[in-house]
Amino acid sequence: MTAPFRICFVCTGNICRSPMAESVFRARLTEAGLDGLVEVDSAGTGGWHEGDGADPRTVAVLRAGGYEHAHAARQFQASWFDHLDLVIALDSGHLHELRRLAPTARDAAKVQLLRAYGTGTATGAVAGGASGPVPAPGSGPGPGLSDDLDVPDPYYGGFERFEECLEMVETASEGLLAAISATLPARTVVPARVPDHDHRRAAQEPQQPQEKESA
């Protein structure tokens, strides 16, 4: 039996951006009929929120978009590189931190920026360790990384920042799905549908949480 492709989305505290990306991408996999071939989870570079649920604003935005969500925050560990095929960073700070944490150069190459897959030119990612990862454009090691590819931290902003974050995640998830699909056993892939933001049911803005570490 072929081992599943394993991917982990990583942000800072694992309560805003990465759980959002996890929920969105899991939905895309289900729509494409690939949920049995790919395992998805998320984590944070820090452990301040371990065991906490997602930020209430993240939960509200996901529910408004029709996404299922259940979450408990956790911190990313270097030992996980061994069983992961792809580690998706939500911004360039996470990308650098995760690559420094990687035990080997091969593991460091597994770390890619999510929005690099939204440029329309990403073509693949490694599955099963058969070869090195195919880097997403603009996210390879060394110079050339751009803050323009970050999914900005919405934690200290208003509810609209979370909506903007979701839109960025949805757009990039299409390219990421295409990249991963190219590495999986041949099968029919149904094009994923991006929910129309204008037709989402209205979400009431939750109360602003007290300040603590960002996500």
Side-chain angles (χ1 to χ4, degrees):
M1 181 176 179
T2 304
F5 186 100
R6 296 183 174 92
I7 177 173
C8 184
F9 294 94
V10 183
C11 66
T12 305
N14 194 212
I15 62 169
C16 293
R17 291 170 286 178
S18 58
M20 189 182 293
E22 177 186 354
S23 291
V24 169
F25 197 65
R26 184 173 285 116
R28 294 292 171 270
L29 290 169
T30 299
E31 292 166 1
L34 298 175
D35 47 319
L37 297 176
V38 182
E39 292 182 0
V40 185
D41 59 20
S42 65
T45 56
W48 313 282
H49 300 288
E50 280 194 290
D52 292 348
D55 186 287
R57 294 162 294 177
T58 291
V59 175
V61 165
L62 288 172
R63 286 177 177 169
Y67 296 104
E68 296 182 359
H69 181 72
H71 181 69
R74 58 184 189 155
Q75 183 176 10
F76 189 89
Q77 304 296 322
S79 60
W80 297 358
F81 276 106
D82 187 55
H83 72 270
L84 290 169
D85 296 290
L86 195 59
V87 180
I88 297 295
L90 273 291
D91 68 31
S92 56
H94 306 133
L95 182 99
H96 289 300
E97 187 169 352
L98 289 164
R99 285 181 172 169
R100 287 195 299 267
L101 187 66
T104 68
R106 180 178 177 81
D107 288 328
K110 295 177 181 179
V111 185
Q112 303 292 335
L113 278 171
L114 175 60
R115 289 191 68 202
Y117 289 94
T119 63
T121 54
T123 57
V126 66
S131 61
V134 177
S139 63
L145 297 175
S146 172
D147 290 343
D148 291 342
L149 294 178
D150 288 355
V151 176
D153 187 354
Y155 187 83
Y156 293 108
F159 189 69
E160 68 280 356
R161 292 284 298 277
F162 283 77
E163 293 178 313
E164 292 167 0
C165 181
L166 179 60
E167 291 175 359
M168 292 179 183
V169 167
E170 288 177 331
T171 298
S173 291
E174 298 302 311
L176 178 59
L177 177 64
I180 291 177
S181 298
T183 72
L184 298 175
R187 59 181 295 172
T188 301
V189 179
V190 179
R193 176 185 61 82
V194 179
D196 186 347
H197 183 73
D198 293 334
H199 295 287
R200 293 175 182 148
R201 59 183 182 273
Q204 182 176 1
E205 181 170 352
Q207 183 177 359
Q208 188 83 356
Q210 295 182 347
E211 290 192 359
K212 52 183 177 180
E213 295 289 345
S214 62

